[in-house]
Amino acid sequence: MGIELSVLSGILGVIIGSFLNVVIYRVPQGKSIIFPGSHCPACGHNLRPWELVPVLSFLILRGRCAQCREKISWRYPLIEGLNGSLYFYAAWMNHSGSFLELGIHFYFISVLLVLAVIDWDTYRLPDVFTLPLLGVGIVAGFLLPQGPSGWESLATALGVGGVFWMITRLYPEGMGLGDIKLIAGLGAFLGFPEALIAVFIASFTGSIGGLIMLSFKKRSFREQIPFGPYLVLGGWSVFFWGQNILSFYNSLF
Ligand SMILES: [Zn+2]
């Protein structure tokens, strides 16, 4: 799509990113994502409209609550900016001009972002996100002329999900059921062999990430290392650069 639509997509992504922050913060606690409105977690001060502008409010307030001056996490503008950048890129890379396809891609980007951060925080990949991801992936296969066909989506979700499910039966300490559902969802969206490459990238970056965190003592050796964020990294990489990764892989042989 053209530069105007891509920039508009980026702005939409930043606004939706602001909503994703609410989802990431409230869903694991079982709280409503609509009521009450956004407030400072430290002093309870209700945010006024000018304090709710994504990224800009954070910069204007220099990362502090307008009322109590408590620090606001830099994660909020980061998530907004990341979601916006990925929407921009997805629109820029979209050559079909199909808004249905673009909408489904926005969904794929955002649900993975939410899953990555929630898994990082809580070691959980809630079913309310992984199961719809799987469903939408399969439906998208049947609806969209681009990407894997519906049957390929279904077969990849079942095949790749099934294989890793069996692996967890043999090595239960490796992955959880949430990871398997996320892998099945990636299978539905990416098809074969792309989904397998995504899991390979996840394992590779996950081992490096685990070593880095151990060396910085961010997480102790006994502590679990969440796999979800790396699966998301692998999923996005293949989603955006799948063709390049495949041709690089083929050039090796
Ligand atoms: Zn406050």
Side-chain angles (χ1 to χ4, degrees):
M1 292 185 170
I3 187 70
E4 296 91 349
L5 277 176
S6 302
V7 170
L8 276 178
S9 298
I11 294 168
L12 176 73
V14 169
I15 294 165
I16 290 180
S18 163
F19 173 68
L20 299 181
N21 277 317
V22 177
V23 170
I24 288 165
Y25 184 68
R26 295 193 190 176
V27 168
Q29 303 179 39
K31 288 184 183 163
S32 161
I33 52 174
I34 301 169
F35 299 106
S38 294
H39 50 264
C40 166
C43 71
H45 156 69
N46 286 316
L47 300 189
R48 287 158 290 188
W50 69 270
E51 293 165 74
L52 282 166
V53 185
V55 184
L56 285 181
S57 295
F58 183 89
L59 295 176
I60 292 167
L61 291 164
R62 270 174 270 145
R64 287 179 185 276
C65 168
Q67 191 79 24
C68 68
R69 309 302 297 158
E70 182 73 22
K71 269 192 176 170
I72 306 167
S73 171
W74 51 267
R75 221 169 72 172
Y76 294 104
L78 181 76
I79 286 170
E80 290 159 356
L82 181 60
N83 198 61
S85 312
L86 293 176
Y87 275 31
F88 171 85
Y89 193 56
W92 185 245
M93 298 297 284
N94 181 305
H95 299 302
S96 69
S98 154
F99 284 105
L100 175 66
E101 184 191 38
L102 192 61
I104 289 175
H105 288 174
F106 288 168
Y107 168 77
F108 178 77
I109 289 166
S110 291
V111 80
L112 288 191
L113 180 54
V114 165
L115 280 167
V117 183
I118 290 181
D119 195 24
W120 184 268
D121 286 347
T122 68
Y123 301 105
R124 285 214 169 78
L125 293 164
D127 283 353
V128 288
F129 301 113
T130 53
L131 296 183
L133 176 76
L134 175 61
V136 172
I138 293 168
V139 170
F142 284 102
L143 281 181
L144 300 176
Q146 304 82 14
S149 73
W151 295 113
E152 188 188 339
S153 285
L154 196 58
T156 311
L158 287 173
V160 179
V163 165
F164 285 100
W165 179 74
M166 283 191 286
I167 294 176
T168 58
R169 301 288 292 177
L170 297 170
Y171 305 101
E173 58 284 339
M175 275 187 251
L177 266 184
D179 296 312
I180 305 301
K181 291 171 199 162
L182 174 53
I183 289 173
L186 291 178
F189 264 94
L190 303 171
F192 193 83
E194 286 86 346
L196 214 52
I197 299 173
V199 179
F200 175 77
I201 294 173
S203 314
F204 185 69
T205 53
S207 330
I208 297 173
L211 285 176
I212 292 173
M213 292 212 288
L214 277 177
S215 62
F216 282 99
K217 303 265 194 308
K218 283 281 187 195
R219 295 191 197 235
S220 71
F221 193 68
R222 282 178 179 281
E223 237 181 321
Q224 213 181 336
I225 287 165
F227 194 39
Y230 300 102
L231 282 171
V232 167
L233 194 65
W236 279 341
S237 308
V238 172
F239 177 73
F240 285 115
W241 303 294
Q243 279 310 318
N244 301 349
I245 295 171
L246 269 180
S247 36
F248 171 73
Y249 178 81
N250 286 329
S251 72
L252 294 177
F253 296 98

